[in-house]
Amino acid sequence: MLSQLIFLYCALVIISTALLAVRFHNPVYSVLSVLVLFFHIAGLYLLLNAEFLAAIQIIVYAGGILILYLFVLFLVNLRQEIKSQRFVAHHRLSTVVSIILGLSLLAIIPYFKLGAKGNYPVARIEQLTHTKAIAMELYSTFILPFELAGLILLIAVVGGLVLARNDKEETADDVRDSTATATPEVQK
Amino acid sequence: MQILILLLQIAMVMAIVLLHVAYLTYFERKIIGHMQVRMGPMRVGWHGLLQPIADGIKSFFKEDIIPQQADKPLFLAAPIICLVTMLAALAVLPFAEGWVLADINIGLLFIFAMSSLASYGIILAGWASNSKYTFLGGMRSMAQVISYEIPMGLSLVGVMMLSGSLNLSEIVAAQGTSIFSIYLFPQIIGFFVFFIAMLAETNRVPFDLPEAETELVSGYITEYSGMRYAMFFMAEYIGMMILASIGTVCFLGGWNGPFVIPFFPPFWFILKVYGFLFVFIWIRATLPRYRYDQLMAIGWKLLIPLALLNIFLTGLFKALVH
């Protein structure tokens, strides 16, 4: 009963903050509502006994990526965005398209079926602790996709370094700044 | 009834920690004073002992000024975000065996999560004040915290590998009671990285660039006054204590000491935390400030490779032993 109530609360907050993130005129407020959203997603993970995922959700998404978004936002002049009424030209048309998209998403929901049960029921995860369970799966069953993902991220890091690198030494400060801000997202 | 007891415990921990914050500022002024051959605060009470209380009352009754061009809701929320996240991190600290508010399996990650959220308070304070000094201070702090969170996390991976747990109580238990089995010795590289990252994460000298007074007035807190200013102050000092406790738990064997103190099990834990805090203050009295590009170079070119090397060596050691 209590867990259902918490789920309902989290779901409501997730939906409303997601809407707010799109509605706010000030992008900084949008980022903050996404922050609240991430928190409640972490809450949902906690309900599912996935405490490791919940912590990583906050550390990586809220603590890393979202802060980098803020960093970018601060470098943009926000005054014009706050004043402008609409961001898109064909407002009516986009409303119609988005309503159709939303309705079709709702229509799909009844066809949603639960998948087959995995090897990790709640009781086993509780006994094993979630961190250990996820590590064992990641480093045994899914080792190849995991290493591939690591390789892709490494390529992104190297690419970022190449883009940020400047052959002339005169703008050494710029290079330092961009490596400091661009790589953490990829590394985490 | 259980909830009542828990609330009482939370209130006790908060009261004790806030009292520590107050007297940490006193000792900081006193120690730095004596290191610079001054007396430090002497006027309020015997040797200035009541000074923190006078400071607290003063900042409580001061006017709370909000700049006209500031983004009001965020300006008001920023110090609260800072303080609340820091206080929340206290919940998982084990002061002694069984003396912990929330004994969760991801204790270490929880502290990382909370300390990364605290940087939101600083960034928003810098942006919402709508002033050049605060903005630059906020930006600096943001880049600094993001850069140093990585070596900090990586330096503790070695501890996690040795103890096989993220639970802070279990990390202490895994180090055993002997002074020679603490993780400081096998994890000396990790401890070095952790210690420098700790200074940078708490924005302390020699890495206090976000509030470098010679260039930025006082950085992101320039526009704050009264109690909100005090909140930032408290958050910073609680952050110091939390990181000192993490260092104690992960590298110095937590509450275990040479012999057991009856009736007061957290004695050794507190003593070690005090040791860390003294070193914090000592460094502040001794070292000059780094330049910003030097700060970034240390973080990315020295600490992160060292921390990775430490993880590799620890893994190699574990593989060879088993």
Side-chain angles (χ1 to χ4, degrees), chain B residues 217-295:
Chain B
V217 191
S218 54
Y220 56 91
I221 34 182
T222 305
E223 302 292 340
Y224 282 89
S225 56
M227 207 54 208
R228 286 181 204 281
Y229 173 79
M231 277 185 189
F232 277 119
F233 217 74
M234 284 193 266
E236 188 185 323
Y237 280 84
I238 295 173
M240 275 164 65
M241 282 193 249
I242 285 170
L243 285 179
S245 314
I246 292 290
T248 306
V249 163
C250 291
F251 295 103
L252 299 185
W255 61 77
N256 289 318
F259 50 88
V260 179
I261 301 284
F263 307 116
F264 193 60
F267 178 80
W268 294 109
F269 177 86
I270 291 174
L271 204 68
K272 290 168 189 171
V273 171
Y274 285 173
F276 262 109
L277 293 175
F278 176 73
V279 176
F280 265 119
I281 296 169
W282 185 9
I283 288 175
R284 180 173 168 189
T286 313
L287 293 180
R289 187 175 295 133
Y290 272 91
R291 220 170 52 217
Y292 201 75
D293 59 314
Q294 291 173 327
L295 167 91

Side-chain angles (χ1 to χ4, degrees), chain B residues 81-128:
Chain B
I81 295 176
C82 254
L83 187 61
V84 166
T85 48
M86 278 302 166
L87 283 173
L90 289 172
V92 295
L93 291 180
F95 301 104
E97 194 154 16
W99 286 39
V100 47
L101 289 175
D103 195 18
I104 57 175
N105 282 329
I106 48 159
L108 210 49
L109 292 180
F110 181 80
I111 288 192
F112 283 140
M114 286 303 130
S115 76
S116 68
L117 285 178
S119 61
Y120 272 96
I122 294 175
I123 296 159
L124 291 177
W127 183 78

Side-chain angles (χ1 to χ4, degrees), chain A residues 29-124:
Chain A
Y29 281 67
S30 300
V31 168
L32 289 181
S33 62
V34 174
L35 172 69
V36 178
L37 185 145
F38 283 158
F39 253 95
H40 287 81
I41 290 180
L44 285 188
Y45 286 149
L46 280 184
L47 271 186
L48 296 169
N49 275 316
E51 71 259 9
F52 181 74
L53 262 189
I56 293 298
Q57 166 84 19
I58 292 180
I59 295 173
V60 174
Y61 282 92
I65 294 174
L66 215 54
I67 286 195
L68 289 173
Y69 282 0
L70 268 183
F71 212 115
V72 174
L73 276 183
F74 287 171
L75 297 175
V76 179
N77 190 3
L78 293 179
R79 294 184 197 270
Q80 282 196 326
E81 259 108 90
I82 295 168
K83 276 179 199 147
S84 67
Q85 279 300 304
R86 302 203 191 288
F87 292 121
V88 284
H90 306 287
H91 178 248
R92 293 251 171 80
L93 184 70
S94 18
T95 317
V96 172
V97 170
S98 48
I99 285 176
I100 292 173
L101 273 178
L103 284 179
S104 50
L105 271 181
L106 280 180
I108 288 170
I109 288 178
Y111 298 99
F112 178 75
K113 279 200 190 89
L114 283 174
K117 287 238 163 98
N119 293 331
Y120 288 91
V122 172
R124 189 160 170 220

Side-chain angles (χ1 to χ4, degrees), chain B:
Chain B
M1 195 59 206
Q2 231 172 358
I3 291 177
L4 269 181
I5 293 175
L6 195 64
L7 280 177
L8 201 71
Q9 285 172 336
I10 292 172
M12 263 172 63
V13 169
M14 269 177 64
I16 292 171
V17 167
L18 289 180
L19 206 68
H20 268 85
V21 169
Y23 275 89
L24 188 57
T25 61
Y26 169 76
F27 280 109
E28 179 160 22
R29 292 170 70 180
K30 215 60 182 165
I31 291 169
I32 291 180
H34 280 280
M35 282 178 176
Q36 296 168 345
V37 207
R38 298 182 281 118
M39 297 303 281
M42 289 294 281
R43 297 282 171 186
V44 193
W46 184 76
H47 276 253
L49 258 181
L50 296 176
Q51 183 70 43
I53 294 167
D55 284 345
I57 293 170
K58 185 190 79 173
S59 56
F60 192 79
F61 285 108
K62 272 214 163 182
E63 188 187 353
D64 186 20
I65 299 167
I66 301 169
Q68 207 159 30
Q69 295 291 313
D71 188 317
K72 205 173 167 196
L74 290 186
F75 184 83
L76 297 181
I80 299 172
I81 295 176
C82 254
L83 187 61
V84 166
T85 48
M86 278 302 166
L87 283 173
L90 289 172
V92 295
L93 291 180
F95 301 104
E97 194 154 16
W99 286 39
V100 47
L101 289 175
D103 195 18
I104 57 175
N105 282 329
I106 48 159
L108 210 49
L109 292 180
F110 181 80
I111 288 192
F112 283 140
M114 286 303 130
S115 76
S116 68
L117 285 178
S119 61
Y120 272 96
I122 294 175
I123 296 159
L124 291 177
W127 183 78
S129 309
N130 211 349
S131 140
K132 290 188 179 91
Y133 297 124
T134 61
F135 186 64
L136 283 173
M139 293 289 262
R140 277 187 182 185
S141 162
M142 179 156 39
Q144 180 173 334
V145 168
I146 292 174
S147 310
Y148 277 83
E149 233 164 48
I150 301 167
M152 165 98 83
L154 290 177
S155 70
L156 290 173
V157 168
V159 172
M160 296 174 200
M161 285 162 85
L162 284 185
S163 65
S165 174
L166 288 170
N167 185 320
L168 293 173
S169 308
E170 279 174 30
I171 290 176
V172 173
Q175 295 179 53
T177 46
S178 158
I179 196 163
F180 298 108
S181 60
I182 59 176
Y183 286 157
L184 176 65
F185 304 117
Q187 288 293 321
I188 187 78
I189 307 174
F191 182 71
F192 173 75
V193 174
F194 173 81
F195 192 80
I196 296 177
M198 175 167 88
L199 289 176
E201 278 266 308
T202 47
N203 294 333
R204 293 286 296 181
V205 177
F207 304 115
D208 65 337
L209 290 133
E211 38 195 298
E213 66 275 357
T214 40
E215 357 175 344
L216 289 180
V217 191
S218 54
Y220 56 91
I221 34 182
T222 305
E223 302 292 340
Y224 282 89
S225 56
M227 207 54 208
R228 286 181 204 281
Y229 173 79
M231 277 185 189
F232 277 119
F233 217 74
M234 284 193 266
E236 188 185 323
Y237 280 84
I238 295 173
M240 275 164 65
M241 282 193 249
I242 285 170
L243 285 179
S245 314
I246 292 290
T248 306
V249 163
C250 291
F251 295 103
L252 299 185
W255 61 77
N256 289 318
F259 50 88
V260 179
I261 301 284
F263 307 116
F264 193 60
F267 178 80
W268 294 109
F269 177 86
I270 291 174
L271 204 68
K272 290 168 189 171
V273 171
Y274 285 173
F276 262 109
L277 293 175
F278 176 73
V279 176
F280 265 119
I281 296 169
W282 185 9
I283 288 175
R284 180 173 168 189
T286 313
L287 293 180
R289 187 175 295 133
Y290 272 91
R291 220 170 52 217
Y292 201 75
D293 59 314
Q294 291 173 327
L295 167 91
M296 284 293 158
I298 294 173
W300 288 93
K301 292 180 187 159
L302 178 75
L303 293 188
I304 291 180
L306 261 184
L308 289 173
L309 177 76
N310 180 44
I311 293 173
F312 174 73
L313 289 179
T314 312
L316 199 69
F317 173 76
K318 273 202 103 170
L320 287 180
V321 165
H322 292 291

